[in-house]
Amino acid sequence: MRSEQPRRPSWERPSLFTRVMAAVGLVFLHAPVWVIALYAFTTEDRTYQFPPPGLTLHWFDVAFARDDIWESMRLSLLVASAATLLAIILGTLAAFALARRTFTGKESITLLFVLPIALPGILTGLALLAGMRTIGLEPGFWTIVAGHATFCLVIVYNNVVARLRRIPPSWVEASMDLGARGHQTFRYVLLPQIATALLAGGMLAFALSFDEIIVTLFTAGHERTLPIWFYSELFRPRERPVTNVVAVVVILVTLVPILLAYYLTRPDEQSQGT
Amino acid sequence: MAGRAEFSLQGRQAFYFALLLAPPLLWLGIVYLGSLLTLLLQSFYAIDEFTARIVPEFTLATYRQLLTQPAHIDIIVRTLLMAVAVTLTAAVIAFPVALYMARYAGPRTKALFYVGVMLPMWTSYLVKVYAWRLILAKQGIASWGFEHLGLMAALDQALAVPVVGGPSLASSYIGMFIVFVYMWLPFMILPLAAALERVPASLLQASADLGARPAQTFRNVVLPLALPGLAAGSIFTFSLTLGDYIIPSVVGAPGYFIGMMVYQQQGTAGNLPLAAAFSVVPIVLIGLYLMLARRLGAFDAL
């Protein structure tokens, strides 16, 4: 479409430098991820030699036969599911409470809701650990979930609150005027509108939790989530190629929900509400 | 405003509102804020030198220990310098990407760029760090690339520089710096692009009509209007670098960073008060940074 126009005026044309640097920046962001994918197939198992001397699928068999990896994978999936569920419930409640109302103290409450992702993760981790020790709580599955839910809640809240603000208040008023009760308005007017935002928030929360390491190392005790397994493997590698395979699997497990989340909230879908 | 708020919070409305807000507020208030306060409290305790137990009495001894031991000051300065260097570099690299995706790209290219920036940002943190360890390792891709470009001598020279160099990229501050910049780059690009999208085209046209050359327009029109975006992005890069303890322990030189110190003190060293005091440092630094940004007018254009 743009090509039909004659020649764009100077302030609408990027300089060659801008164009090249933009492309370089994008490649820089993506290249390392492809590297991992390549190394999962290398036949070399001691060094990080590049280019790989040969390619093989052997390491996938080895990785899939390892019980410790499956065990960690199972734990991570369970933690992510529980944390996401909690985050969806708490985040949605908060979004409904805060989307439209104005009241004294709202600023402080919204600040509290972004704090867990605004402050460095190490602070959240250490704080939760200090809190657990004070009340004598043993670290384990539920402390991991509690830590994850705390920052996942923010993600869900942000997604849902943004969508709620785009729903015209007149829709709710119309629904009420036509005699719908509160729960009916919620079920037939609001829920269909926020469904995709809710799902997207849930997907992102799941991906975030599945991959979390900074907070988890403080709250996990003796439990080994997949990122913790991965982290310990970085320092005491038993078999490097297996680590590479797990890296690829982790990328795939997190990539699917993220792409889905993007698809669910992509711009033209968002504009339907307005 | 106040009148409307009171009106909307009457009777049943207020009841439902409280019902909605209570669970998330209690969760964050008790689990999160409660923990943070416990952490702050811990930093005012100290560890008994002989029994290695925490003495629950108010004291400033831990903060004194934090701020008087030269080794601790070194750690704080090292982390701060890294955060500043990473923030500046990320801003420079992010600018053309953000500028292109915000102002020049057509709808399809723009969508491609947004996904292109979001995907690596959301890709597993640990896997990305690990990927860089492979890339920067002695026989890794980086040195393979340098060799094939005939730049091996330049790489060796860079690694021979005292302090920032090291035996290989994977075990030098240069390598760590590259990884930090890579990891936080999307956090700089996205707010910057958002700010640049809001720059009205008419201003650029006016600037061009008045005879400004592209470089002048950039410096006098685009850059000042992009400042809020730069400020927002730099808060991310700054804060994330200050708090990270994984990257310095996987890639880089043996010198300690604040995050590593926090992790080590609460773990193997068993000194929770000192770990807590160390974890307060990033907050203070971020606070100072915010004040400085405000003083410099970074938020004026908001």
Side-chain angles (χ1 to χ4, degrees):
Chain A
M1 274 162 249
R2 250 175 31 244
S3 54
E4 289 167 19
Q5 288 171 4
R7 192 171 148 83
R8 290 193 289 166
S10 68
W11 63 88
E12 282 180 15
R13 263 181 289 127
S15 66
L16 183 66
F17 176 78
T18 306
R19 266 186 293 179
V20 171
M21 288 309 287
V24 169
L26 210 56
V27 171
F28 175 61
L29 283 175
H30 283 261
V33 182
W34 294 108
V35 167
I36 280 290
L38 177 67
Y39 270 109
F41 300 97
T42 182
T43 48
E44 181 23 269
D45 66 344
R46 255 173 292 277
T47 64
Y48 300 128
Q49 190 190 339
F50 185 86
L55 299 176
T56 170
L57 280 173
H58 170 68
W59 303 116
F60 281 82
D61 290 339
V62 177
F64 290 149
R66 285 267 294 267
D67 285 338
D68 57 334
I69 297 176
W70 281 113
E71 195 54 41
S72 293
M73 179 81 153
R74 206 181 69 100
L75 177 65
S76 277
L77 289 173
L78 278 177
V79 166
S81 309
T84 305
L85 191 66
L86 245 160
I88 284 182
I89 296 170
L90 295 173
T92 313
L93 286 175
F96 270 95
L98 297 173
R100 294 241 183 247
R101 288 184 181 78
T102 47
F103 55 91
T104 18
K106 188 183 172 182
E107 297 258 301
S108 336
I109 292 183
T110 26
L111 179 69
L112 177 62
F113 276 96
V114 294
L115 221 50
I117 50 169
L119 290 179
I122 191 165
L123 208 72
T124 310
L126 188 66
L128 288 170
L129 183 76
M132 276 153 45
R133 287 208 186 147
T134 307
I135 58 170
L137 197 64
E138 272 301 309
F141 178 79
W142 288 107
T143 54
I144 308 178
V145 172
H148 287 195
T150 303
F151 53 80
C152 288
L153 182 170
V154 183
I155 304 287
V156 176
Y157 166 77
N158 279 341
N159 261 278
V160 176
V161 91
R163 183 66 62 87
L164 277 177
R165 292 211 174 111
R166 277 201 304 271
I167 300 175
S170 55
W171 290 17
V172 176
E173 285 159 22
S175 166
M176 298 296 216
D177 286 348
L178 291 167
R181 307 174 67 99
H183 66 91
Q184 288 174 316
T185 304
F186 174 78
R187 169 70 186 80
Y188 296 106
V189 180
L190 292 175
L191 197 59
Q193 283 299 313
I194 64 158
T196 52
L198 202 58
L199 208 55
M203 293 285 180
L204 292 180
F206 186 89
L208 203 63
S209 165
F210 185 78
D211 181 47
E212 218 291 330
I213 177 86
I214 294 199
V215 176
T216 318
L217 273 179
F218 287 96
T219 56
H222 297 295
E223 299 284 349
R224 271 156 69 93
T225 62
L226 200 57
I228 294 182
W229 178 90
F230 200 92
Y231 185 65
S232 58
E233 216 52 24
L234 290 185
F235 295 102
R236 292 179 302 275
R238 284 208 276 160
E239 276 171 298
R240 264 181 194 151
V242 173
T243 317
N244 298 340
V245 169
V246 174
V248 172
V249 172
V250 169
I251 291 180
L252 291 179
V253 171
T254 48
L255 207 61
V256 172
I258 289 157
L259 282 174
L260 266 174
Y262 174 77
Y263 176 77
L264 290 169
T265 55
R266 69 192 188 283
D268 58 281
E269 208 271 342
Q270 285 174 344
S271 58
Q272 279 174 8
T274 51
Chain B
M1 265 333 218
R4 227 187 88 204
E6 275 161 34
F7 174 73
S8 69
L9 286 180
Q10 272 169 359
R12 269 167 64 112
Q13 278 265 326
F15 174 71
Y16 284 127
F17 171 68
L19 211 60
L20 284 175
L21 193 57
L25 199 59
L26 284 176
W27 178 276
L28 282 185
I30 294 172
V31 177
Y32 186 66
L33 223 48
S35 297
L36 276 182
L37 290 177
T38 321
L39 181 67
L40 198 64
L41 193 67
Q42 288 282 347
S43 70
F44 289 106
Y45 293 163
I47 205 147
D48 187 295
E49 301 263 327
F50 298 104
T51 59
R53 278 167 177 275
I54 298 165
V55 186
E57 279 166 26
F58 181 86
T59 168
L60 288 173
T62 305
Y63 279 104
R64 201 176 307 125
Q65 194 189 351
L66 171 74
L67 295 173
T68 51
Q69 287 192 11
H72 294 165
I73 300 293
D74 277 358
I75 292 170
I76 295 172
V77 171
R78 183 181 298 129
T79 312
L80 186 62
L81 286 178
M82 181 60 90
V84 171
V86 168
T87 300
L88 290 176
T89 313
V92 171
I93 299 179
F95 215 101
V97 183
L99 191 65
Y100 186 80
M101 67 196 262
R103 299 219 62 93
Y104 300 124
R108 293 194 131 219
T109 325
K110 179 178 275 194
L112 185 84
F113 261 82
Y114 270 96
V115 181
V117 174
M118 302 264 284
L119 272 188
M121 176 166 122
W122 280 92
T123 301
S124 170
Y125 163 86
L126 215 47
V127 168
K128 282 184 290 187
V129 180
Y130 176 61
W132 275 100
R133 195 153 106 155
L134 300 189
I135 294 169
L136 299 175
K138 236 186 162 59
Q139 282 184 299
I141 298 177
S143 42
W144 176 82
F146 275 107
E147 203 177 297
H148 281 251
L149 291 169
L151 292 171
M152 209 55 195
L155 178 64
D156 285 339
Q157 243 167 17
L159 287 175
V161 175
V163 184
V164 297
S168 76
L169 274 175
S171 45
S172 69
Y173 286 122
I174 301 177
M176 193 194 296
F177 166 76
I178 295 173
V179 179
F180 268 129
V181 170
Y182 171 83
M183 297 296 280
W184 314 142
L185 191 58
F187 294 91
M188 182 64 94
I189 294 178
L190 291 176
L192 195 51
L196 287 169
E197 282 208 31
R198 286 197 296 267
V199 176
S202 55
L203 284 186
L204 305 182
Q205 183 178 1
S207 177
D209 287 350
L210 291 168
R213 284 141 48 123
Q216 286 175 309
T217 304
F218 178 80
R219 208 181 54 238
N220 298 319
V221 181
V222 178
L223 203 55
L225 289 172
L227 259 188
L230 275 175
S234 66
I235 289 164
F236 282 118
T237 56
F238 195 69
S239 148
L240 286 166
T241 312
L242 287 181
D244 198 279
Y245 64 97
I246 306 282
I247 295 170
S249 60
V250 175
V251 182
Y256 265 70
F257 280 69
I258 293 177
M260 298 164 78
M261 198 62 186
V262 171
Y263 189 67
Q264 194 224 32
Q265 285 300 324
Q266 64 80 29
T268 45
N271 192 343
L272 194 56
L274 188 58
F278 254 107
S279 73
V280 172
V281 177
I283 303 189
V284 173
L285 291 176
I286 293 162
L288 289 175
Y289 181 72
L290 280 175
M291 269 167 53
L292 187 74
R294 184 163 302 195
R295 180 75 54 93
L296 291 174
F299 304 106
D300 291 353
L302 275 178

